[in-house]
Structures are given as structure tokens and as C-alpha cells.
Amino acid sequence: MIATDSFVFLHLHKSGGSFANDCIRQHLPGARELGYHLPRSLIPTELAALPVLGLVRNPWSYYVSWYSFQKQRPRPNALFRVLSNEGQLDFDTTIHNMLDLGQDDVLLARLVELLPAQYGNGGLNLPGFALKPIRSSGLGFYSFLYRYMYDGGPAAAHIGLMEDLPHSLLALLARAEQPVSTALRAYALGAPRRNPSEHAAYASYYQPPLRDRIASQDAAVIDAHGYRFGA
């Protein structure tokens, strides 16, 4: 969560937020970090009237990026360890488990027990109590994170597409009536991405049952932002 005098930027997990955070912190005087991966519900009261900005990505792409990033880490997070059975399960089975969190009480309880009891300052930063509302929601994990991060304010958040990250970020700043310096524009258009995951084209990871399950459980995000599988 980055606050300025013009807006608050929220960092949705694995959706281009690290790049946007760096750009904002380095080029907007007075920008300050209030916490890592914190949701809209934790914006301080005195800042609640500011426009809320954020980014989103294709959900099918998100699951591949998340799995690949965690699989390559020396010490994956608790979410990956539980859903992949300590790295023994393949992508397909792991993501099916992820989509089961809302309906598998045993799996959810095991994960909630391993997640932190309070907010920290790194990683996914999703305490156990914050994940509990996924139960019976019918949502895919990414759609749950999206609502958890962006819902709850007096007006809809302004959301840009990660797939066109430089132009999306500049358009979001314009929506917030934030002046953009030459240096900020040059950074947005030319700096390398942060924390990219190494993996093949995301569509190659999917069998039809998992592809279609994400289409159903993440339909709200897919439809709202015009995503299509393989595009």
C-alpha cells in the first residue's frame, strides 16, 4: 500500500505491483509505504476519500506465475507447501487444490493454522483470519484476493491491466489527476519488470477441466476486464 497526496495504490499479489510501487516511490515526492499487500479495508481513515488505484492480471496467467515462482524458491510459502503437498504435486493438482479452498473445510483449516496470525511486511501477507471468508464463497483464489484487496470503499477502485503495465500505470495516474514528470514517464515506459516468474506460455500448462474451472470460479474478474484464455 503506497499513499500519496493524490491517491492510494494497492498491491495485488503477482500483478505488477512491485514495478508500480518502485515507480511511485522513486518519482512522486511524499509517497510513503503504509504496508505490504494490505487491503483497502486497512487504508487509514484520513486517506479513505482518496482515489484507490490497482492492477489486475489474467487469472489463468496468475496461477501459472504463482506456482512457478513458488516452485523455484528455496523455501516456498505455506500456501504452496500445503496445496502442493510440500512440492510433490504438479501444477494441475496444486491449482485444483487452490480452487477447492472454499469448499474443503479440512484443507482450509490446515492452511489457516499455518498462516500468520497477523499482518507482517513481506510475502503474500495474508493472515489466516483474512483467508477464512473464502469458505463457501464459490470464488477462485485470485478472485478472492481481488475482492479482498479492492472492495469495501465508497467508490470503485480504478484498476489497470498488468498486460499493458506501463500505459496502464500512466493512465491510472491520470485518473487520479497526478502530474507525471518526464522522469516518471521514462521509468514507466523503460524500466524492466520486477520479480518475473520463469515459465512457458501460460496456456501450455492447462488441461480443459482446470481451464474451465478457472473460467467459472474467476468469472467476475475475467468478465470485468475482458480476459480470454490464451490471449
mmCIF file of all heavy atoms in Angstrom, residues 185-216:
data_model
loop_
_atom_site.group_PDB
_atom_site.id
_atom_site.type_symbol
_atom_site.label_atom_id
_atom_site.label_comp_id
_atom_site.label_asym_id
_atom_site.label_seq_id
_atom_site.Cartn_x
_atom_site.Cartn_y
_atom_site.Cartn_z
ATOM 1 N N ARG A 185 7.621 9.208 -16.372
ATOM 2 C CA ARG A 185 7.154 8.618 -17.631
ATOM 3 C C ARG A 185 8.244 7.730 -18.252
ATOM 4 O O ARG A 185 7.959 6.629 -18.736
ATOM 5 C CB ARG A 185 6.740 9.717 -18.606
ATOM 6 C CG ARG A 185 6.176 9.191 -19.940
ATOM 7 C CD ARG A 185 5.707 10.335 -20.813
ATOM 8 N NE ARG A 185 4.622 11.067 -20.175
ATOM 9 C CZ ARG A 185 3.347 10.703 -20.232
ATOM 10 N NH1 ARG A 185 2.994 9.621 -20.914
ATOM 11 N NH2 ARG A 185 2.424 11.420 -19.623
ATOM 12 N N ALA A 186 9.475 8.213 -18.222
ATOM 13 C CA ALA A 186 10.576 7.432 -18.791
ATOM 14 C C ALA A 186 10.768 6.127 -18.018
ATOM 15 O O ALA A 186 11.023 5.068 -18.617
ATOM 16 C CB ALA A 186 11.854 8.257 -18.775
ATOM 17 N N TYR A 187 10.642 6.181 -16.700
ATOM 18 C CA TYR A 187 10.775 4.967 -15.894
ATOM 19 C C TYR A 187 9.655 3.991 -16.226
ATOM 20 O O TYR A 187 9.893 2.792 -16.435
ATOM 21 C CB TYR A 187 10.736 5.323 -14.408
ATOM 22 C CG TYR A 187 10.963 4.140 -13.497
ATOM 23 C CD1 TYR A 187 12.225 3.869 -12.984
ATOM 24 C CD2 TYR A 187 9.909 3.296 -13.147
ATOM 25 C CE1 TYR A 187 12.436 2.785 -12.145
ATOM 26 C CE2 TYR A 187 10.114 2.199 -12.321
ATOM 27 C CZ TYR A 187 11.367 1.953 -11.819
ATOM 28 O OH TYR A 187 11.574 0.864 -10.996
ATOM 29 N N ALA A 188 8.425 4.491 -16.257
ATOM 30 C CA ALA A 188 7.278 3.620 -16.526
ATOM 31 C C ALA A 188 7.410 2.926 -17.872
ATOM 32 O O ALA A 188 7.060 1.743 -18.020
ATOM 33 C CB ALA A 188 5.991 4.434 -16.466
ATOM 34 N N LEU A 189 7.912 3.643 -18.847
ATOM 35 C CA LEU A 189 7.972 3.096 -20.203
ATOM 36 C C LEU A 189 9.234 2.285 -20.478
ATOM 37 O O LEU A 189 9.257 1.500 -21.432
ATOM 38 C CB LEU A 189 7.872 4.237 -21.223
ATOM 39 C CG LEU A 189 6.552 5.001 -21.243
ATOM 40 C CD1 LEU A 189 6.631 6.181 -22.195
ATOM 41 C CD2 LEU A 189 5.386 4.087 -21.623
ATOM 42 N N GLY A 190 10.272 2.448 -19.624
ATOM 43 C CA GLY A 190 11.540 1.823 -19.960
ATOM 44 C C GLY A 190 12.161 0.903 -18.936
ATOM 45 O O GLY A 190 13.043 0.108 -19.287
ATOM 46 N N ALA A 191 11.721 0.956 -17.686
ATOM 47 C CA ALA A 191 12.365 0.135 -16.657
ATOM 48 C C ALA A 191 11.951 -1.329 -16.796
ATOM 49 O O ALA A 191 10.828 -1.625 -17.208
ATOM 50 C CB ALA A 191 11.998 0.656 -15.269
ATOM 51 N N PRO A 192 12.821 -2.265 -16.434
ATOM 52 C CA PRO A 192 12.468 -3.689 -16.513
ATOM 53 C C PRO A 192 11.438 -4.060 -15.455
ATOM 54 O O PRO A 192 11.324 -3.415 -14.412
ATOM 55 C CB PRO A 192 13.796 -4.401 -16.270
ATOM 56 C CG PRO A 192 14.614 -3.410 -15.489
ATOM 57 C CD PRO A 192 14.214 -2.062 -15.996
ATOM 58 N N ARG A 193 10.698 -5.129 -15.717
ATOM 59 C CA ARG A 193 9.719 -5.638 -14.757
ATOM 60 C C ARG A 193 10.416 -6.152 -13.511
ATOM 61 O O ARG A 193 11.580 -6.565 -13.549
ATOM 62 C CB ARG A 193 8.889 -6.768 -15.382
ATOM 63 C CG ARG A 193 8.090 -6.364 -16.605
ATOM 64 C CD ARG A 193 6.890 -5.512 -16.215
ATOM 65 N NE ARG A 193 6.069 -5.219 -17.375
ATOM 66 C CZ ARG A 193 5.031 -5.957 -17.765
ATOM 67 N NH1 ARG A 193 4.709 -7.053 -17.100
ATOM 68 N NH2 ARG A 193 4.329 -5.617 -18.818
ATOM 69 N N ARG A 194 9.664 -6.171 -12.413
ATOM 70 C CA ARG A 194 10.171 -6.685 -11.144
ATOM 71 C C ARG A 194 9.621 -8.080 -10.878
ATOM 72 O O ARG A 194 8.464 -8.374 -11.151
ATOM 73 C CB ARG A 194 9.734 -5.757 -10.009
ATOM 74 C CG ARG A 194 10.498 -4.465 -9.885
ATOM 75 C CD ARG A 194 11.850 -4.674 -9.218
ATOM 76 N NE ARG A 194 11.744 -5.452 -7.984
ATOM 77 C CZ ARG A 194 11.350 -4.933 -6.810
ATOM 78 N NH1 ARG A 194 11.049 -3.646 -6.707
ATOM 79 N NH2 ARG A 194 11.273 -5.698 -5.747
ATOM 80 N N ASN A 195 10.439 -8.950 -10.293
ATOM 81 C CA ASN A 195 10.037 -10.274 -9.811
ATOM 82 C C ASN A 195 9.308 -11.127 -10.858
ATOM 83 O O ASN A 195 8.279 -11.742 -10.557
ATOM 84 C CB ASN A 195 9.137 -10.140 -8.569
ATOM 85 C CG ASN A 195 9.849 -9.491 -7.402
ATOM 86 O OD1 ASN A 195 11.062 -9.618 -7.272
ATOM 87 N ND2 ASN A 195 9.100 -8.798 -6.570
ATOM 88 N N PRO A 196 9.821 -11.184 -12.093
ATOM 89 C CA PRO A 196 9.129 -12.022 -13.079
ATOM 90 C C PRO A 196 9.323 -13.508 -12.763
ATOM 91 O O PRO A 196 10.368 -13.918 -12.241
ATOM 92 C CB PRO A 196 9.822 -11.647 -14.387
ATOM 93 C CG PRO A 196 11.205 -11.238 -13.974
ATOM 94 C CD PRO A 196 11.038 -10.550 -12.636
ATOM 95 N N SER A 197 8.299 -14.317 -13.048
ATOM 96 C CA SER A 197 8.410 -15.763 -12.894
ATOM 97 C C SER A 197 8.897 -16.373 -14.204
ATOM 98 O O SER A 197 8.522 -15.909 -15.285
ATOM 99 C CB SER A 197 7.046 -16.368 -12.527
ATOM 100 O OG SER A 197 6.562 -15.820 -11.325
ATOM 101 N N GLU A 198 9.716 -17.407 -14.100
ATOM 102 C CA GLU A 198 10.215 -18.091 -15.281
ATOM 103 C C GLU A 198 9.312 -19.276 -15.597
ATOM 104 O O GLU A 198 9.215 -20.228 -14.814
ATOM 105 C CB GLU A 198 11.650 -18.563 -15.041
ATOM 106 C CG GLU A 198 12.643 -17.413 -14.846
ATOM 107 C CD GLU A 198 14.065 -17.912 -14.678
ATOM 108 O OE1 GLU A 198 14.291 -19.129 -14.882
ATOM 109 O OE2 GLU A 198 14.933 -17.093 -14.347
ATOM 110 N N HIS A 199 8.630 -19.203 -16.733
ATOM 111 C CA HIS A 199 7.743 -20.295 -17.131
ATOM 112 C C HIS A 199 7.413 -20.161 -18.611
ATOM 113 O O HIS A 199 7.621 -19.110 -19.222
ATOM 114 C CB HIS A 199 6.457 -20.284 -16.300
ATOM 115 C CG HIS A 199 5.721 -18.973 -16.299
ATOM 116 N ND1 HIS A 199 4.935 -18.551 -17.361
ATOM 117 C CD2 HIS A 199 5.650 -17.979 -15.375
ATOM 118 C CE1 HIS A 199 4.414 -17.378 -17.089
ATOM 119 N NE2 HIS A 199 4.839 -16.995 -15.892
ATOM 120 N N ALA A 200 6.899 -21.217 -19.182
ATOM 121 C CA ALA A 200 6.475 -21.210 -20.574
ATOM 122 C C ALA A 200 5.163 -20.430 -20.705
ATOM 123 O O ALA A 200 4.611 -19.932 -19.711
ATOM 124 C CB ALA A 200 6.311 -22.641 -21.067
ATOM 125 N N ALA A 201 4.660 -20.319 -21.928
ATOM 126 C CA ALA A 201 3.376 -19.647 -22.157
ATOM 127 C C ALA A 201 2.312 -20.283 -21.261
ATOM 128 O O ALA A 201 2.195 -21.520 -21.188
ATOM 129 C CB ALA A 201 2.983 -19.764 -23.622
ATOM 130 N N TYR A 202 1.553 -19.450 -20.557
ATOM 131 C CA TYR A 202 0.677 -19.986 -19.520
ATOM 132 C C TYR A 202 -0.332 -20.996 -20.043
ATOM 133 O O TYR A 202 -0.694 -21.969 -19.360
ATOM 134 C CB TYR A 202 -0.028 -18.850 -18.754
ATOM 135 C CG TYR A 202 -1.177 -18.198 -19.470
ATOM 136 C CD1 TYR A 202 -2.420 -18.800 -19.515
ATOM 137 C CD2 TYR A 202 -1.031 -16.954 -20.085
ATOM 138 C CE1 TYR A 202 -3.488 -18.192 -20.166
ATOM 139 C CE2 TYR A 202 -2.080 -16.352 -20.726
ATOM 140 C CZ TYR A 202 -3.313 -16.975 -20.765
ATOM 141 O OH TYR A 202 -4.366 -16.377 -21.404
ATOM 142 N N ALA A 203 -0.820 -20.822 -21.277
ATOM 143 C CA ALA A 203 -1.846 -21.721 -21.808
ATOM 144 C C ALA A 203 -1.350 -23.159 -21.904
ATOM 145 O O ALA A 203 -2.145 -24.105 -21.833
ATOM 146 C CB ALA A 203 -2.315 -21.231 -23.172
ATOM 147 N N SER A 204 -0.038 -23.340 -22.027
ATOM 148 C CA SER A 204 0.514 -24.682 -22.185
ATOM 149 C C SER A 204 0.423 -25.510 -20.903
ATOM 150 O O SER A 204 0.624 -26.729 -20.942
ATOM 151 C CB SER A 204 1.973 -24.600 -22.640
ATOM 152 O OG SER A 204 2.806 -24.042 -21.629
ATOM 153 N N TYR A 205 0.135 -24.886 -19.780
ATOM 154 C CA TYR A 205 0.053 -25.590 -18.503
ATOM 155 C C TYR A 205 -1.315 -26.227 -18.267
ATOM 156 O O TYR A 205 -1.469 -27.018 -17.332
ATOM 157 C CB TYR A 205 0.344 -24.624 -17.347
ATOM 158 C CG TYR A 205 1.795 -24.239 -17.229
ATOM 159 C CD1 TYR A 205 2.383 -23.350 -18.128
ATOM 160 C CD2 TYR A 205 2.600 -24.748 -16.217
ATOM 161 C CE1 TYR A 205 3.706 -22.987 -18.025
ATOM 162 C CE2 TYR A 205 3.924 -24.390 -16.100
ATOM 163 C CZ TYR A 205 4.474 -23.503 -17.017
ATOM 164 O OH TYR A 205 5.802 -23.150 -16.912
ATOM 165 N N TYR A 206 -2.297 -25.883 -19.076
ATOM 166 C CA TYR A 206 -3.680 -26.212 -18.741
ATOM 167 C C TYR A 206 -4.248 -27.376 -19.533
ATOM 168 O O TYR A 206 -4.085 -27.461 -20.751
ATOM 169 C CB TYR A 206 -4.572 -24.986 -18.969
ATOM 170 C CG TYR A 206 -4.421 -23.949 -17.892
ATOM 171 C CD1 TYR A 206 -3.543 -22.877 -18.059
ATOM 172 C CD2 TYR A 206 -5.126 -24.040 -16.703
ATOM 173 C CE1 TYR A 206 -3.390 -21.921 -17.068
ATOM 174 C CE2 TYR A 206 -4.976 -23.093 -15.706
ATOM 175 C CZ TYR A 206 -4.104 -22.039 -15.888
ATOM 176 O OH TYR A 206 -3.950 -21.101 -14.907
ATOM 177 N N GLN A 207 -4.955 -28.239 -18.802
ATOM 178 C CA GLN A 207 -5.872 -29.198 -19.379
ATOM 179 C C GLN A 207 -7.281 -28.590 -19.316
ATOM 180 O O GLN A 207 -7.555 -27.732 -18.464
ATOM 181 C CB GLN A 207 -5.834 -30.521 -18.622
ATOM 182 C CG GLN A 207 -4.475 -31.212 -18.661
ATOM 183 C CD GLN A 207 -4.067 -31.608 -20.071
ATOM 184 O OE1 GLN A 207 -4.896 -32.085 -20.854
ATOM 185 N NE2 GLN A 207 -2.799 -31.381 -20.409
ATOM 186 N N PRO A 208 -8.188 -29.002 -20.207
ATOM 187 C CA PRO A 208 -9.521 -28.370 -20.251
ATOM 188 C C PRO A 208 -10.275 -28.314 -18.918
ATOM 189 O O PRO A 208 -10.884 -27.279 -18.624
ATOM 190 C CB PRO A 208 -10.258 -29.208 -21.299
ATOM 191 C CG PRO A 208 -9.180 -29.655 -22.227
ATOM 192 C CD PRO A 208 -8.000 -29.936 -21.332
ATOM 193 N N PRO A 209 -10.259 -29.351 -18.066
ATOM 194 C CA PRO A 209 -11.029 -29.238 -16.811
ATOM 195 C C PRO A 209 -10.579 -28.087 -15.917
ATOM 196 O O PRO A 209 -11.412 -27.358 -15.368
ATOM 197 C CB PRO A 209 -10.811 -30.602 -16.142
ATOM 198 C CG PRO A 209 -10.549 -31.538 -17.281
ATOM 199 C CD PRO A 209 -9.735 -30.724 -18.251
ATOM 200 N N LEU A 210 -9.267 -27.905 -15.779
ATOM 201 C CA LEU A 210 -8.774 -26.811 -14.943
ATOM 202 C C LEU A 210 -9.015 -25.469 -15.619
ATOM 203 O O LEU A 210 -9.422 -24.495 -14.965
ATOM 204 C CB LEU A 210 -7.286 -26.992 -14.644
ATOM 205 C CG LEU A 210 -6.642 -25.910 -13.756
ATOM 206 C CD1 LEU A 210 -7.358 -25.810 -12.417
ATOM 207 C CD2 LEU A 210 -5.153 -26.211 -13.555
ATOM 208 N N ARG A 211 -8.770 -25.407 -16.910
ATOM 209 C CA ARG A 211 -9.051 -24.175 -17.667
ATOM 210 C C ARG A 211 -10.488 -23.736 -17.459
ATOM 211 O O ARG A 211 -10.771 -22.560 -17.161
ATOM 212 C CB ARG A 211 -8.786 -24.423 -19.145
ATOM 213 C CG ARG A 211 -9.122 -23.258 -20.072
ATOM 214 C CD ARG A 211 -9.312 -23.747 -21.499
ATOM 215 N NE ARG A 211 -10.474 -24.637 -21.598
ATOM 216 C CZ ARG A 211 -10.689 -25.468 -22.614
ATOM 217 N NH1 ARG A 211 -9.808 -25.565 -23.602
ATOM 218 N NH2 ARG A 211 -11.780 -26.221 -22.626
ATOM 219 N N ASP A 212 -11.424 -24.669 -17.568
ATOM 220 C CA ASP A 212 -12.847 -24.334 -17.471
ATOM 221 C C ASP A 212 -13.260 -24.025 -16.033
ATOM 222 O O ASP A 212 -14.160 -23.212 -15.802
ATOM 223 C CB ASP A 212 -13.685 -25.478 -18.023
ATOM 224 C CG ASP A 212 -13.469 -25.687 -19.512
ATOM 225 O OD1 ASP A 212 -12.889 -24.795 -20.165
ATOM 226 O OD2 ASP A 212 -13.870 -26.761 -20.020
ATOM 227 N N ARG A 213 -12.612 -24.665 -15.096
ATOM 228 C CA ARG A 213 -12.936 -24.376 -13.699
ATOM 229 C C ARG A 213 -12.548 -22.947 -13.327
ATOM 230 O O ARG A 213 -13.291 -22.250 -12.633
ATOM 231 C CB ARG A 213 -12.222 -25.378 -12.794
ATOM 232 C CG ARG A 213 -12.711 -25.341 -11.370
ATOM 233 C CD ARG A 213 -12.137 -26.445 -10.531
ATOM 234 N NE ARG A 213 -12.645 -26.325 -9.180
ATOM 235 C CZ ARG A 213 -12.139 -26.972 -8.143
ATOM 236 N NH1 ARG A 213 -11.122 -27.814 -8.315
ATOM 237 N NH2 ARG A 213 -12.643 -26.788 -6.941
ATOM 238 N N ILE A 214 -11.394 -22.502 -13.794
ATOM 239 C CA ILE A 214 -10.994 -21.115 -13.558
ATOM 240 C C ILE A 214 -11.947 -20.164 -14.271
ATOM 241 O O ILE A 214 -12.324 -19.125 -13.723
ATOM 242 C CB ILE A 214 -9.535 -20.901 -14.001
ATOM 243 C CG1 ILE A 214 -8.600 -21.652 -13.053
ATOM 244 C CG2 ILE A 214 -9.178 -19.414 -14.038
ATOM 245 C CD1 ILE A 214 -7.162 -21.704 -13.509
ATOM 246 N N ALA A 215 -12.364 -20.509 -15.479
ATOM 247 C CA ALA A 215 -13.324 -19.674 -16.201
ATOM 248 C C ALA A 215 -14.586 -19.464 -15.389
ATOM 249 O O ALA A 215 -15.197 -18.388 -15.423
ATOM 250 C CB ALA A 215 -13.662 -20.314 -17.548
ATOM 251 N N SER A 216 -14.994 -20.471 -14.623
ATOM 252 C CA SER A 216 -16.202 -20.366 -13.798
ATOM 253 C C SER A 216 -15.944 -19.639 -12.484
ATOM 254 O O SER A 216 -16.625 -18.670 -12.149
ATOM 255 C CB SER A 216 -16.740 -21.768 -13.517
ATOM 256 O OG SER A 216 -17.826 -21.729 -12.618
#
